[in-house]
Amino acid sequence: MTRTPRPTPEAILAVLPELAPHARDAVLLHPERAEPGCRSSSIGGPLLWPSDEPWPECDLPDENDPMGVLATAMVPVAQILRRDAPGPWWPADVDLLQILWCPNEHWDPPGRQADGSPVVELRWRRAADVVGPVTVPPSPSRYDEDCYLPEACTISTEHVTDFPFREELPTKLRPRLQELVRETGDGGDVVTRLAGWKLGGWPTWHLTHPTVLSCGDCGTAMTLLFTVASDDETGVVVGRWGDLRIFTCPADHRHAFQVDLH
């Protein structure tokens, strides 16, 4: 099916210039099955992990182990190097973002995690500091292979300007944005909340009303850092073919992140 291409940010703002203060930088991550190295940006690929740093494990109960007695190694979800995806989400002193999760679904996770999804771990690093990387990471002792073992993929990046869902805008702008969506989206929204694996930008809110997540450490409104998308290329399915989103505190990246499933 032929889809209407997304208008350029300039074309969108020419019609609705009041959107400009709400624009956010984002990078779409387009995966392709491959065998990336540990010093490359990837989805499901090897991580540049220090050999003297313990590998994250999960010992929470799940369907495969209701007691959670046998801890299982987490698995790589994404590794992003700053050189491949520069943007405002990077702290000044790091150039490597690593995301891992438990390869099992949890229905009663800690508060900052999402119910009915894997438990997530996040690391910020300086790549140059990792001089003795792990060559063979530990394998998970239990896992749900249907959903939560991402296929190794290289990524190509697309730098974009993202706009929010209409309900996150001032009331007076919503009808005009809705009209623009109708005019350009052939039944879908190609203007706001760009879909797919994404760094930065705006989250999707197609199932619930928009929610403001506040940092548990300082109360600052959190912003979207990363979106894990359900897709065939990576073999990842979260929720009902939805998105898993990681939100962080813009005031201090060391504050606890939060995870949302949508």
Side-chain angles (χ1 to χ4, degrees), residues 164-207:
F165 183 50
R166 62 179 179 274
E167 292 190 20
E168 295 186 272
L169 292 170
T171 304
K172 65 180 181 180
L173 295 184
R174 297 176 189 177
R176 295 173 61 195
L177 176 59
Q178 190 169 1
E179 181 60 29
L180 178 60
V181 167
R182 279 198 298 266
E183 291 175 354
T184 60
D186 64 16
D189 184 352
V190 297
V191 175
T192 73
R193 306 160 295 154
L194 294 172
W197 291 77
K198 183 169 67 174
L199 194 59
W202 287 90
T204 57
W205 296 109
H206 52 274
L207 296 179

Side-chain angles (χ1 to χ4, degrees), residues 24 112 202-203 211-225 246-252 255-259:
R24 286 184 182 175
R112 64 189 177 95
W202 287 90
T211 301
V212 176
L213 301 178
S214 298
C215 175
D217 294 296
C218 69
T220 301
M222 305 184 88
T223 54
L224 179 65
L225 172 69
I246 301 172
F247 293 82
T248 53
C249 177
D252 193 330
H255 291 174
F257 62 88
Q258 293 190 44
V259 181

